[in-house]
Amino acid sequence: MFEIRFATVEDVPTVLRFVKSLAEHELSLDSVSATEQLLRANLFGTRKSAEVIIASFDGVPAGFALFFHNFSTFLGKQGMYLEDLYVVPEMRGRGCGKKLLGWLAKLAIERDCGRLEWGVVDWNPTAIEFYKSIRARAMDEWTIYRVSGSDLRELATRNRLN
């Protein structure tokens, strides 16, 4: 039986372990710079950037979802963006991912969100098929762009008003 709950500050080590496991699965462990201190400050500090839910099976953490609110100008209301969804390998195929997404969908409705959305890497057909199975629709007409690191600093420096 799965149990899902909001994470607490005591769960930070588990959240970081899940983040690193997800990054390892996506072959990008070297990209992880998150630490327990950063997660504690940004998830549970005075200015919370995101929220986390944890799924447990028989009291053992089995997966997590990290999400935050965004805003749709077209809908005129907030949405929910799922940044990460991870289920430990031994719990995959047992419904944990669907339970996490169902819990988030219910929360999005309770919070009057206009949508729940997320990204998926295009080289993960298992995840893509899973998302299709819950009737999620790919937004193929959109391409995500990102500026980070030194490029972000350069953009800020070269294009500021003062």
Side-chain angles (χ1 to χ4, degrees), residues 5 8 10 32 40 48 50 61 66 68 74-75 82 101 110 113 115 123 129 156:
R5 62 175 174 77
T8 66
E10 289 79 21
V32 176
R40 200 172 290 110
K48 298 175 183 160
L66 185 143
F68 55 88
F74 285 13
L75 295 177
L82 172 62
L101 284 169
E110 289 171 0
C113 294
R115 60 185 172 208
W123 53 259
E129 289 306 311

Side-chain angles (χ1 to χ4, degrees), residues 3-153:
E3 175 187 290
I4 298 176
R5 62 175 174 77
F6 279 103
T8 66
V9 70
E10 289 79 21
D11 294 308
V12 166
T14 300
V15 172
L16 183 57
R17 180 170 46 89
F18 283 157
V19 168
K20 288 181 177 180
S21 295
L22 174 61
E24 188 172 33
H25 173 74
E26 292 185 352
L27 306 175
S28 56
L29 185 57
D30 58 334
S31 298
V32 176
S33 59
T35 63
E36 287 185 21
Q37 181 180 2
L38 283 171
L39 291 176
R40 200 172 290 110
N42 289 300
L43 297 176
F44 301 101
T46 55
R47 186 170 180 230
K48 298 175 183 160
S49 300
E51 297 175 78
V52 177
I53 58 173
I54 294 183
S56 296
F57 186 81
D58 287 339
V60 178
F64 87 119
L66 185 143
F67 64 97
F68 55 88
H69 289 283
N70 54 17
F71 189 83
S72 168
T73 54
F74 285 13
L75 295 177
K77 58 170 54 178
Q78 70 179 357
M80 188 178 284
Y81 189 84
L82 172 62
E83 178 67 22
D84 286 321
L85 175 72
Y86 178 76
V87 175
V88 296
E90 57 272 17
M91 287 290 128
R92 293 180 190 157
R94 296 183 179 196
C96 185
K98 285 183 181 176
K99 296 285 187 202
L100 284 163
L101 284 169
W103 201 95
L104 284 179
K106 183 177 184 287
L107 183 64
I109 290 167
E110 289 171 0
R111 293 183 178 181
D112 194 32
C113 294
R115 60 185 172 208
L116 170 62
E117 58 190 354
W118 59 90
V120 59
V121 290
D122 59 7
W123 53 259
N124 190 341
T126 305
I128 292 168
E129 289 306 311
F130 168 67
Y131 295 139
K132 286 180 179 179
S133 79
I134 61 165
R135 299 178 65 183
R137 184 171 57 95
M139 304 298 291
D140 294 329
E141 64 273 13
W142 291 88
T143 301
I144 297 171
Y145 285 84
R146 176 179 295 160
V147 180
S148 60
S150 62
D151 295 328
L152 179 63
R153 288 187 292 280

